Amino acid sequence: MGNVRAKKNLGQHFLKDLNIAKKIVDSLQANQINKVLEIGPGMGVLTQYLLPNKSFETHVVEIDTESVAYLKDKYPELDGRIIGEDFLRYDLSKLFDEPFVIIGNFPYNISSQIFFRVLDYRDQIPEVVCMIQKEVAERMSAKPSCKAYGILSVLMQAFYNIDYLFTVGPEVFNPPPKVNSGVIRMSRNTTTHLECSEPLFIRVVKTGFNQRRKTLRNSLKSLLGDLKLDDDIMGQRPEQLTVPEFVELTNKIEALLAQ
């Protein structure tokens, strides 16, 4: 069958540079994990380098029915391992009851949603290698006191070490996106759970960064109401805080709210 038509509503930009495709696949360390899930394989540019690796049992999840038909035709060895579903809605526990790693050229319009979905399964997903919009990749891997450091940085780095691997220009895609892309590797850290209320932690991080130019004393007013937290940390801006400091702040706020 012919090539798959890229669909704008699905955010499809098909990578056509095979050297970059191989470099992305080679970035997957896996560390004795043999179950691999590729998100959004499209026409299989990454898949073709995953399948020859006999230490991997490769599964793919693809919402585009045209791509699913193409993959079934071109890669018969994927028989029974092509999931024609929306990754954001699919119950991954139906597929794996053991650890698995994720790889993919993520649709840029839903990459943040994919990462939050990964967090839901973080105890099963020790590693993610993906290509995303460069700006998002920089946010994911940014360190405190950096302009790119924000909500996504804190929430993801609470559970993953994130390395920015390399940049990819728009000319190697069909159709070319209007932005550069970045490839990152996420490796699960040793944090099994946060030493605070996780829902409150998320609220504190999001509320703080919603007005990131203000100090936490001002940006957290909507969360604290008339309550005042007399602490030096409140004089800082959210981008100055490390993940452990956000945990500490969350515990102080929880104690204040409980009074």
Side-chain angles (χ1 to χ4, degrees):
M1 65 185 292
N3 287 347
V4 176
R5 176 181 55 87
K7 298 163 189 67
K8 189 174 182 180
N9 67 309
L10 294 179
Q12 289 177 326
H13 297 276
F14 295 131
L15 179 65
K16 58 185 182 181
D17 188 315
L18 298 185
N19 290 325
I20 292 175
K22 187 175 186 305
K23 190 176 179 182
I24 293 171
V25 172
D26 288 346
S27 299
L28 193 62
Q29 296 175 332
N31 291 330
Q32 300 182 330
I33 305 295
N34 77 321
K35 298 289 192 294
V36 177
L37 179 64
E38 182 184 355
I39 298 174
M43 290 188 288
V45 67
L46 301 184
T47 319
Q48 65 186 312
Y49 295 109
L50 290 166
L51 290 174
N53 188 331
K54 298 308 176 187
S55 65
F56 290 161
E57 180 185 293
T58 300
H59 299 250
V60 302
V61 56
E62 175 60 71
I63 193 173
D64 179 22
T65 54
E66 187 183 4
S67 290
V68 168
Y70 180 93
L71 293 164
K72 285 181 177 178
D73 181 66
K74 186 165 183 180
Y75 301 105
E77 61 267 52
L78 273 176
D79 183 44
R81 289 184 275 131
I82 300 175
I83 304 141
E85 300 276 356
D86 179 354
F87 172 78
L88 298 178
R89 298 176 181 272
Y90 185 69
D91 182 0
L92 293 173
S93 63
K94 293 180 181 177
L95 184 61
F96 301 117
D97 57 5
E98 58 192 290
F100 62 98
V101 296
I102 284 178
I103 192 169
N105 174 17
F106 293 173
Y108 298 166
N109 57 339
I110 60 166
S111 61
S112 294
Q113 293 168 265
I114 292 174
F115 292 129
F116 290 129
R117 189 85 169 129
V118 167
L119 278 184
D120 291 339
Y121 290 88
R122 59 183 178 259
D123 292 334
Q124 268 187 280
I125 304 175
E127 185 183 0
V128 178
V129 170
C130 61
M131 180 156 54
I132 52 180
Q133 185 176 337
K134 183 174 186 279
E135 181 185 340
V136 178
E138 288 173 338
R139 282 208 299 268
M140 292 279 289
S141 56
K143 302 303 180 191
S145 299
C146 170
K147 186 179 179 182
Y149 188 71
I151 295 171
L152 205 54
S153 320
V154 176
L155 298 185
M156 298 308 298
Q157 290 176 31
F159 297 100
Y160 285 90
N161 299 321
I162 303 174
D163 297 310
Y164 188 104
L165 301 181
F166 55 92
T167 300
V168 181
E171 69 280 356
V172 298
F173 295 90
N174 182 29
K178 295 179 180 179
V179 295
N180 285 327
S181 304
V183 176
I184 61 169
R185 179 171 52 235
M186 301 165 46
S187 305
R188 188 73 169 85
N189 63 26
T190 57
T191 302
T192 55
H193 65 279
L194 297 180
E195 298 294 334
C196 67
S197 162
E198 191 170 322
L200 183 58
F201 174 82
I202 293 170
R203 284 183 64 199
V204 169
V205 172
K206 288 184 174 180
T207 305
F209 278 105
N210 279 342
Q211 300 181 73
R212 62 178 300 143
R213 293 182 180 177
K214 294 185 177 182
T215 63
L216 291 163
R217 184 171 289 108
N218 291 312
S219 63
L220 294 178
K221 277 183 177 178
S222 62
L223 181 61
L224 295 175
D226 294 330
L227 298 172
K228 294 202 178 351
L229 179 59
D230 186 18
D231 194 286
D232 289 344
I233 202 170
M234 298 297 284
Q236 298 191 67
R237 291 184 174 86
E239 70 266 19
Q240 296 176 277
L241 270 61
T242 63
V243 171
E245 286 172 330
F246 266 111
V247 170
E248 179 187 350
L249 175 60
T250 300
N251 282 324
K252 290 177 178 178
I253 287 175
E254 183 173 30
L256 184 64
L257 294 174
Q259 289 178 7

